[in-house]
């Protein structure tokens, strides 16, 4: 058996075990396995404009900083401009701040008209709501933040070279909520709303690759990384796992790789640690192609496209 085959087995084993692959250990081991995909070349993004949403905290900051290091012109999309300006000053280079609440589709339309040409768009903004709330347009906030706003923004910013949806391994536990995307039925739990909408992101990726044939469309999940988001929304989990969590730069690794490596990775896939991964770990989350298409049709109608 070759070292490459052994390496792929180990890589898959880490993925299936979840607790082996998602913390910093998973990335550290994979980096040493034969066949680990090469880093993007230095200067790979010179002359490119990259937009990162949710760039005022955690993985968004690390992602934006790594893109700036690769020579990109970077736009930090934030809700709090003062917070964004502090991040931009810390990163340095051609990094500027743009305000947008990505859950508010009117704000997304305004933003898309003002930003100019974009090459790479990273949908990193994410939220785990404490209670059910709705946007000015009446959409449940997790759905609007993770799916509706990003869908509309991507469509309005075409042509794009690449778009990356930062999803979550939490989506592996949830089915596509086609019967109730706005989470109007049953007891509302923020963690469930989060995972359901992260599942929608991943289910839409192959269809979005068809919708935008000139764009490399990727979904990914970062593993478990120590960020203000994790500490604030999952304090128990954070306390328990803190010594094992990735740092933000490690959590951003695959996003940056997907955005900058040449040639571009294949479109329409779901990634973790620089490898395409199955979007399902258990059979009961599987959906038909017709269901995920219907989900996209529903979302397209919901944002008025
Ligand atoms: N950290 C992990 O282990 C982990 C694991 C799986 C997936 N993820 C995903 O990775 C992404 C980044 O998470 P993180 O851990 O870095 O969390 P974080 O520290 O809470 O950062 C989230 C960012 O999203 C922004 N945001 C939230 N709602 C927004 C909206 N409506 N419009 C614009 N920006 C908005 C926040 O802005 P404010 O500063 O204004 O709040 C913040 O900058 C998220 O999509 C998350 O689901 C993270």
């Amino acid at each position: 058996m070759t070292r490459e085959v052994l390496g792929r087995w180990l890589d898959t084993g880490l993925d299936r075990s979840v607790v082996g692959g998602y913390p910093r250990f998973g990335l550290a081991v994979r980096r040493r396995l034969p066949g680990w995909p090469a880093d993007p070349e230095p200067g790979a993004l010179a002359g490119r404009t990259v937009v990162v949403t949710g760039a005022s905290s955690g993985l968004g900051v690390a992602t934006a900083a790594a893109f700036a290091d690769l020579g990109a012109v970077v736009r930090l999309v934030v809700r709090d401009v003062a917070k964004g300006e502090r991040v931009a000053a810390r990163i340095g280079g051609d990094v500027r701040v743009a305000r947008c609440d990505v859950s508010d589709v009117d704000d997304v339309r305004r933003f898309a008209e003002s930003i100019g040409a974009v090459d790479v768009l990273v949908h990193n903004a994410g939220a785990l709501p404490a209670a059910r709330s709705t946007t000015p347009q009446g959409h449940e906030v997790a759905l609007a933040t993770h799916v509706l706003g990003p869908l509309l923004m991507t469509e309005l910013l075409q042509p794009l070279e690449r778009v990356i949806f930062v999803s979550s391994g939490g989506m592996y536990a949830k089915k596509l909520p086609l019967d109730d995307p706005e989470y109007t039925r049953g007891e509302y739990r923020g963690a469930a709303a989060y995972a359901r909408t992260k599942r929608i992101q991943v289910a839409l990726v192959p269809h979005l690759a068809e919708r935008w044939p000139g764009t490399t469309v990727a979904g990914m999940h970062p593993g478990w990384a120590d960020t203000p988001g994790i500490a604030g929304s999952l304090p128990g989990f954070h306390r328990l796992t803190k010594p094992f969590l990735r740092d933000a730069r490690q959590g951003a690794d695959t996003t940056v790789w997907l955005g900058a490596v040449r040639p571009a990775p294949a479109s329409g896939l779901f990634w973790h640690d620089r490898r395409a991964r199955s979007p399902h770990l258990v059979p009961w989350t599987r959906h038909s192609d017709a269901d995920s298409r219907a989900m996209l049709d529903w979302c397209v109608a919901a944002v008025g496209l």
Side-chain angles (χ1 to χ4, degrees), residues 150-185:
L151 169 66
L152 180 64
M153 188 184 290
T154 315
E155 182 102 354
L156 297 178
L157 291 183
Q158 290 293 333
L160 287 159
E161 189 185 308
R162 303 183 194 188
V163 60
I164 299 153
F165 291 82
V166 178
S167 181
S168 164
M171 68 94 202
Y172 277 119
K174 290 290 169 192
K175 290 167 66 169
L176 191 66
L178 182 58
D179 57 337
D180 186 21
E182 300 270 13
Y183 205 157
T184 58
R185 298 203 287 274

Side-chain angles (χ1 to χ4, degrees), residues 74-122:
V74 182
R75 299 288 170 258
L76 312 176
V77 177
V78 302
R79 293 185 288 198
D80 179 337
V81 172
K83 204 171 159 187
E85 294 291 0
R86 287 195 293 276
V87 172
R90 244 176 28 234
I91 296 176
D94 192 348
V95 177
R96 274 180 248 158
V97 175
R99 195 199 59 73
C100 180
D101 180 335
V102 304
S103 72
D104 178 335
V105 294
D106 293 342
D107 208 26
V108 169
R109 286 185 186 280
R110 176 203 54 77
F111 164 79
E113 274 166 24
S114 66
I115 192 74
V118 176
D119 299 293
V120 179
L121 172 59
V122 178

Side-chain angles (χ1 to χ4, degrees), residues 57-68:
S57 175
L59 299 184
V61 176
T63 303
F67 282 137

